[in-house]
Amino acid sequence: MKKNFTLSELFITCVVSLFSLICILPILLVFTNSIASEKSIGTYGYSFFPKEISLSAYRAIFYPGSPILKSYAISVFITAAGTILALLITYLAAYALANRHVKYRNELALFFFITTVFNSGLVPWYLMCKLLHLYNNIWSLIIPSLVFSPFNLFLMRNFIRGLPDSLMESAKMDGAKETRIAFQIYFPLCLPAIATVSLFYALGYWNDWFNAVMLLDNANLYPLQMTLFKIQSDSKMLSEVTSIIAMNPPTESLKMATAIVTIGPIVLLYPFLQKYFVKGMIVGAIKG
Amino acid sequence: MCLNGLQKVVKEICANRMCYLFLLPAVIYTLLFGYFTLPYMVIAFERYDFTKGIGSPWVGFKNFEFFFKSSEVWVVTRNTIVLNGLFIVCGTVVAIALALLFNEVKKKLFLKTAQSFMLFPHFISWVIVSYILYALLSTNGLLNHWIAAFGGNPVRWYSEPNAWYVILVALYIVKNAGYTSIIYLASITSIDEGLYEAAVIDGANRWQQMKHITLPLLMPTVSILALMSIGRIFFADFGMMYALIKDNGLLLPVADVIDTYVFRMMRVTGEPSLAMAVGLFQSAVGFFMVYGSNALAKKKYPDGALF
């Protein structure tokens, strides 16, 4: 047997494993308790190995007319609509900024960049949203603060710049219009950057509750994250969520189950997220 | 002369009208939520009236006076600096340590798996983190379960303000260290292999290589990332603090930060002018922090400065 496992390697493996477990085990704890029965949590507390399994919490969530289901639909809608809109705005602007025929591209890039350094803060932003009637409606969850980010713009622009210039020249020579070049020639070539930017935006929308805290008073429009926040901070919300269950509504396991259905899509998309996110992140951190 | 310049601009826009049209949505967005919000900063010197908008009555420095006299402001400023300072120092140290450890791991599959685990918390929202925390810390939570198993008395974590320094720092590390360490690892892997080969010929072991090659060459990247955080030391992560602390009055003495204070001032108390005054103070001090820390970094690591 080869002696290739030294003491220092063992130490490194242990430390790295330990930190990974600290990152992931608490999420597992939430999951195991989401399928625990209310009685088991009540008697034995939260544990990795619940004494009694029950799916009543999930039944309560997927009960027709449950507020959580409604929030879920709102979250899905704002994530889908927001990501498409954000991607379109970003891609079009990035395409124009990467185009060498556009004379003022650098001035415009500076124009976008400045807002990332000097921003006026929360209060002016809030008053502007109110002025634009982006308050207490579904658009207030989509348009303010998330629909366009200069960081993603520059990420996309740098990617398009990396494509050969001759592509544009030959397309122009063949008489293709700008819209055609942008959508039929460049768009398919930009798919890696588009995937990265869409994931950034989609994750932002899915996890967003800042807009909801700031701009919503109407509980009927709460996205999932906001409902979750309210369940914890406001006992009225919890009783509203459980009121549709007549007998002994689960509360503790219901909280955990709601958290699990909220991170569900992230878990499913995680392989893609990780791949594109790390790429985009490293590019952004080093070149940005 | 001026007309000539304008004609040139119009001509350029006409020549590439499609491209400028493509830029239009982004420009409108940036104008509305970027540049056009700037005039609102003037309300820090007014008594804001929702019906009058920017033209509300002028009160001079009254809002600032109120806020410098109130003791709460110093508490939130102190909390913001202390917590962010702890986050920067502990977060950076752990991330560097992780990156150095990753660099020594030979088995690629193990490394990939460990990194996937560590990056996951970065993708979930602070609201979810507060649920995880609840499962761990509530009176019925796992931690109290374990404390009881060892014969201790259960601790009411949500009414122990001082414990929250540790809790918040730990959460910050779990959520961000995996992510930052990947940036550091990318920077380590771009170090010239020749340096290590030369060091091995000179008889350096792994430890010495790390100390004399990896660490010094990693410093510019560390410096840039640390600078960015120090520049924002007066800006707390609103999402993190509000999701975890909420309006828990028992924890506010250690965990109320400028951003949550401004939020309450604006949304709960309904005093946009006072909130703006605090925000303006925050921006002004933050601006000096960026410049100061950048100048300091320039002296030490010329490559590690932001501008």
Side-chain angles (χ1 to χ4, degrees):
Chain A
M1 217 172 124
K2 269 196 302 182
K3 189 190 170 245
N4 55 4
F5 209 72
T6 61
L7 206 63
S8 65
E9 267 178 67
L10 183 70
F11 171 74
I12 290 165
T13 313
C14 284
V15 174
V16 172
S17 310
L18 187 71
F19 191 76
S20 328
L21 291 179
I22 291 175
C23 288
I24 213 76
L25 281 183
I27 298 167
L28 197 69
L29 179 72
V30 172
F31 175 73
T32 55
N33 287 289
S34 75
I35 54 169
S37 76
E38 200 58 23
K39 209 177 83 204
S40 137
I41 297 180
T43 331
Y44 305 104
Y46 283 86
S47 95
F48 282 108
F49 308 102
K51 294 275 187 304
E52 205 178 77
I53 304 288
S54 152
L55 290 177
S56 61
Y58 287 95
R59 265 200 294 277
I61 289 175
F62 292 107
Y63 199 82
S66 116
I68 292 171
L69 216 53
K70 196 172 69 191
S71 295
Y72 214 101
I74 290 170
S75 276
V76 169
F77 174 74
I78 61 165
T79 306
T83 307
I84 292 170
L85 205 64
L87 183 67
L88 201 68
I89 294 175
T90 309
Y91 175 72
L92 288 175
Y95 172 82
L97 285 189
N99 193 329
R100 284 195 306 124
H101 296 287
V102 177
K103 201 172 139 201
Y104 298 118
R105 59 186 187 284
N106 291 329
E107 287 80 357
L108 281 162
L110 189 66
F111 167 84
F112 291 123
F113 177 71
I114 285 174
T115 55
T116 63
V117 186
F118 297 100
N119 70 53
S120 43
L122 180 70
V123 182
W125 173 85
Y126 172 76
L127 295 173
M128 180 56 89
C129 290
K130 278 206 140 172
L131 187 74
L132 298 172
H133 296 286
L134 291 168
Y135 191 79
N136 245 343
N137 54 44
I138 192 91
W139 296 107
S140 57
L141 299 176
I142 295 177
I143 293 172
S145 85
L146 285 169
V147 84
F148 169 72
S149 114
F151 171 82
N152 289 338
L153 172 72
F154 292 125
L155 201 149
M156 188 80 96
R157 181 199 63 175
N158 293 347
F159 188 89
I160 301 176
R161 265 190 187 164
L163 300 171
D165 279 333
S166 51
L167 201 66
M168 170 113 33
E169 305 306 331
S170 58
K172 282 239 162 101
M173 211 97 79
D174 290 342
K177 288 258 163 53
E178 207 74 67
T179 32
R180 202 179 149 92
I181 302 175
F183 285 103
Q184 288 194 323
I185 299 172
Y186 272 76
F187 196 86
L189 290 171
C190 293
L191 278 181
I194 285 167
T196 309
V197 169
S198 319
L199 282 172
F200 278 136
Y201 279 130
L203 195 71
Y205 276 107
W206 186 258
N207 279 342
D208 176 59
W209 60 292
F210 180 79
N211 282 336
V213 169
M214 295 295 166
L215 304 171
L216 278 191
D217 294 326
N218 180 357
N220 282 322
L221 285 173
Y222 281 169
L224 200 48
Q225 304 278 350
M226 185 64 185
T227 305
L228 273 170
F229 175 73
K230 281 285 176 186
I231 288 176
Q232 250 192 353
S233 64
D234 187 346
S235 56
K236 263 192 300 198
M237 193 75 188
L238 182 65
S239 58
E240 198 183 309
V241 168
T242 52
S243 65
I244 48 167
I245 311 290
M247 292 276 285
N248 302 325
T251 54
E252 300 293 292
S253 60
L254 182 78
K255 286 181 187 170
M256 298 299 125
T258 316
I260 289 297
V261 294
T262 307
I263 59 173
I266 299 177
V267 175
L268 289 179
L269 283 177
Y270 191 53
F272 303 99
L273 267 176
Q274 203 191 357
K275 186 175 158 206
Y276 289 112
F277 197 89
V278 170
K279 258 190 214 156
M281 187 182 85
I282 289 171
V283 169
I286 292 171
K287 292 186 188 151
Chain B
M1 218 22 215
C2 183
L3 201 70
N4 224 338
L6 196 70
Q7 267 174 345
K8 252 170 63 188
V9 173
V10 172
K11 218 175 131 192
E12 156 67 13
I13 290 178
C14 284
N16 286 306
R17 56 188 174 279
M18 213 56 211
C19 279
Y20 286 101
L21 201 65
F22 285 173
L23 279 161
L24 201 61
V27 169
I28 292 175
Y29 181 85
T30 309
L31 281 176
L32 283 180
F33 291 99
Y35 293 91
F36 292 173
T37 59
L38 294 173
Y40 273 116
M41 292 174 91
V42 87
I43 69 163
F45 305 96
E46 296 173 346
R47 182 189 301 281
Y48 191 76
D49 182 335
F50 278 95
T51 53
K52 287 188 185 141
I54 292 182
S56 301
W58 188 265
V59 295
F61 283 90
K62 243 194 186 130
N63 295 322
F64 291 90
E65 233 170 78
F66 164 83
F67 126 77
F68 281 116
K69 274 183 192 153
S70 87
S71 60
E72 228 178 318
V73 169
W74 300 113
V75 173
V76 295
T77 309
R78 185 199 71 107
N79 287 344
T80 312
I81 297 172
V82 168
L83 286 173
N84 274 340
L86 284 171
F87 292 165
I88 295 168
V89 173
C90 301
T92 308
V93 169
V94 173
I96 293 174
L98 278 175
L100 293 174
L101 288 173
F102 285 161
N103 194 39
E104 302 296 319
V105 172
K106 302 267 162 36
K107 297 186 188 67
K108 284 281 162 277
L109 185 69
F110 173 67
L111 183 65
K112 276 262 174 291
T113 319
Q115 283 181 332
S116 322
F117 283 1
M118 284 180 209
L119 203 56
F120 189 75
H122 191 76
F123 292 103
I124 60 180
S125 71
W126 282 109
V127 178
I128 301 289
V129 174
S130 85
Y131 273 70
I132 295 171
L133 202 61
Y134 179 80
L136 292 170
L137 299 185
S138 67
T139 39
N140 213 349
L142 187 72
L143 213 57
N144 276 326
H145 197 53
W146 283 352
I147 290 174
F150 284 104
N153 284 324
V155 182
R156 291 183 168 276
W157 298 104
Y158 287 92
S159 39
E160 286 282 340
N162 287 325
W164 282 76
Y165 286 116
V166 181
I167 295 168
L168 291 171
V169 169
L171 289 176
Y172 179 86
I173 288 174
V174 165
K175 204 158 184 307
N176 294 310
Y179 163 90
T180 323
S181 70
I182 288 176
I183 296 175
Y184 290 153
L185 186 63
S187 160
I188 290 175
T189 44
S190 68
I191 294 172
D192 187 3
E193 274 300 314
L195 289 172
Y196 293 104
E197 282 161 22
V200 171
I201 292 169
D202 288 344
N205 60 24
R206 294 296 294 180
W207 175 252
Q208 286 165 324
Q209 287 172 36
M210 191 191 87
K211 206 172 139 199
H212 296 290
I213 301 173
T214 316
L215 217 47
L217 287 176
L218 185 60
M219 274 309 155
T221 312
V222 173
S223 156
I224 287 182
L225 290 195
L227 268 184
M228 294 209 264
S229 332
I230 292 171
R232 294 195 58 80
I233 201 164
F234 279 87
F235 297 85
D237 183 346
F238 174 82
M240 172 182 183
M241 301 314 284
Y242 197 52
L244 297 176
I245 308 296
K246 301 180 188 70
D247 298 315
N248 184 343
L250 290 168
L251 301 181
L252 288 186
V254 304
D256 195 15
V257 288
I258 299 178
D259 297 74
T260 46
Y261 180 76
V262 169
F263 163 76
R264 273 205 313 275
M265 212 54 152
M266 191 181 72
R267 284 285 271 160
V268 185
T269 327
E271 293 274 11
S273 282
L274 290 178
M276 189 65 241
V278 183
L280 207 58
F281 162 72
Q282 188 186 25
S283 303
V285 187
F287 194 70
F288 283 111
M289 286 306 291
V290 180
Y291 265 90
S293 52
N294 192 63
L296 213 70
K298 229 177 199 162
K299 259 188 195 157
K300 221 163 170 215
Y301 307 103
D303 296 339
L306 279 172
F307 41 84

